[in-house]
Amino acid sequence: MRKRFYDEECQEAFYHLIIRVPEHTSGQTEYAFKDDHKLYLENLLFKLEGIYCLKMVSFCIMSTHVHIILSRDNDAHNQLSLVETAKRYKKYYKLKVAPDARCAAVRKFRIQLNNLSEFMRDLQRRFTFWYNNKSGIKRHGSLWHPRFKSVSLTSLKAFLECMKYVELNPVRAKMVKAPGEYQFCSWGHICKNDPRGSYLKRRIVAGIRYFNTLENKNLPDEKIFKHYAGDLEALAYY
């Protein structure tokens, strides 16, 4: 996989990532994910995010494609201690005992944890393995397009518009009438106020503050979020 462009000018950068299934494959016209597929992919997404240094802001899992907005701190892996890295190494590889935190494998793994390409490769590869075993059908062709699409979000406007676009995907596909009604997206969790929703809500506010620090300096988190939520809901019924 070729090296991805990273925004090295900013300490923290935000990316819109898209993965799709092939539109035409040998012996099959498309792979449409059902609810159990979407749920597994969502759980896998959160599991990997809990291991990597990347932070999820928003996501939406559709039937044939997935949208993810992540933030990446350029120096996050260096801020991670070797002891903590060894614990994540153990979890990642499902080991009974964590390796020596000073070993070369752990040091190399720490660098991997801040790599977008490695994260997306993990997500696609692990889901494909599970999907193939579950289907029980000998498939032909790739489950995903070989490369994911990534777009750097470099302004508050781009960040807000992209989040709204991601959340409104199921509405525009006429799957639901409001984004909060869709189960497999960040807004669905936020509307349910479950643990994942609470986490993503904090990440949205943190992202808005990052891009608009001066204007939001004295505003409480709820007010910042309420303004964004109002814009999203208005667009849903536009």
Side-chain angles (χ1 to χ4, degrees):
M1 185 176 287
R2 67 185 178 85
K3 185 177 180 180
R4 289 276 162 179
F5 165 77
Y6 288 148
D7 183 352
E8 301 289 357
E9 294 182 4
C10 302
Q11 182 61 35
E12 186 173 9
F14 294 78
Y15 300 90
H16 177 205
L17 311 165
I18 307 169
I19 51 177
R20 297 181 180 276
V21 298
E23 294 178 0
H24 299 288
T25 57
S26 176
Q28 227 171 332
T29 56
E30 69 174 12
Y31 303 120
F33 299 142
K34 298 179 175 61
D35 284 359
D36 58 335
H37 302 139
K38 295 175 184 178
L39 180 59
Y40 184 87
L41 184 55
E42 179 186 317
N43 289 336
L44 179 59
L45 179 59
F46 275 94
K47 178 181 178 180
L48 289 175
E49 191 245 13
I51 296 174
Y52 279 74
C53 295
L54 307 167
K55 296 178 181 177
M56 186 155 51
V57 179
S58 179
F59 76 95
C60 185
I61 301 173
M62 300 293 284
S63 296
T64 58
H65 63 283
V66 181
H67 294 275
I68 307 166
I69 297 178
L70 289 175
S71 69
R72 177 183 179 271
D73 185 320
N74 288 331
D75 199 43
H77 57 294
N78 290 325
Q79 298 171 25
L80 194 67
S81 71
L82 289 174
V83 172
E84 175 59 27
T85 305
K87 292 179 182 177
R88 297 191 187 194
Y89 187 100
K90 174 189 172 185
K91 184 177 180 181
Y92 182 84
Y93 287 106
K94 298 180 180 179
L95 303 176
K96 292 183 178 180
V97 180
D100 185 337
R102 298 165 296 179
C103 71
V106 169
R107 293 177 184 276
K108 183 179 179 181
F109 183 68
R110 182 165 64 172
I111 297 172
Q112 175 187 327
L113 294 183
N114 207 23
N115 189 302
L116 280 177
S117 293
E118 291 289 345
F119 177 84
M120 295 303 289
R121 184 179 69 172
D122 260 354
L123 182 67
Q124 292 172 279
R125 183 177 57 187
R126 289 180 181 228
F127 180 78
T128 298
F129 181 78
W130 172 84
Y131 182 91
N132 288 346
N133 285 338
K134 182 177 176 61
S135 68
I137 300 172
K138 189 173 182 179
R139 292 176 45 256
H140 299 281
S142 175
L143 177 60
W144 303 99
H145 279 297
R147 289 177 179 166
F148 66 92
K149 180 180 180 181
S150 62
V151 179
S152 180
L153 307 174
T154 58
S155 69
L156 178 63
K157 181 180 179 181
F159 179 65
L160 292 174
E161 292 302 313
C162 187
M163 283 198 299
K164 294 169 189 174
Y165 171 79
V166 168
E167 301 291 9
L168 290 172
N169 254 245
V171 176
R172 289 169 175 157
K174 301 188 184 303
M175 300 171 74
V176 292
K177 291 184 178 180
E181 296 174 2
Y182 190 65
Q183 181 180 352
F184 307 103
C185 70
S186 43
W187 202 251
H189 286 286
I190 288 171
C191 288
K192 287 188 292 186
N193 198 30
D194 61 19
R196 288 180 178 177
S198 298
Y199 169 74
L200 293 167
K201 182 178 178 180
R202 292 194 298 270
R203 295 303 311 152
I204 290 172
V205 172
I208 294 173
R209 284 193 184 279
Y210 175 81
F211 283 111
N212 207 12
T213 306
L214 293 178
E215 289 188 27
N216 295 319
K217 185 176 181 181
N218 299 315
L219 289 178
D221 288 355
E222 272 307 319
K223 193 164 185 179
I224 293 174
F225 181 77
K226 187 175 180 180
H227 186 268
Y228 167 73
D231 286 348
L232 177 63
E233 295 293 339
L235 282 172
Y237 294 101
Y238 181 73

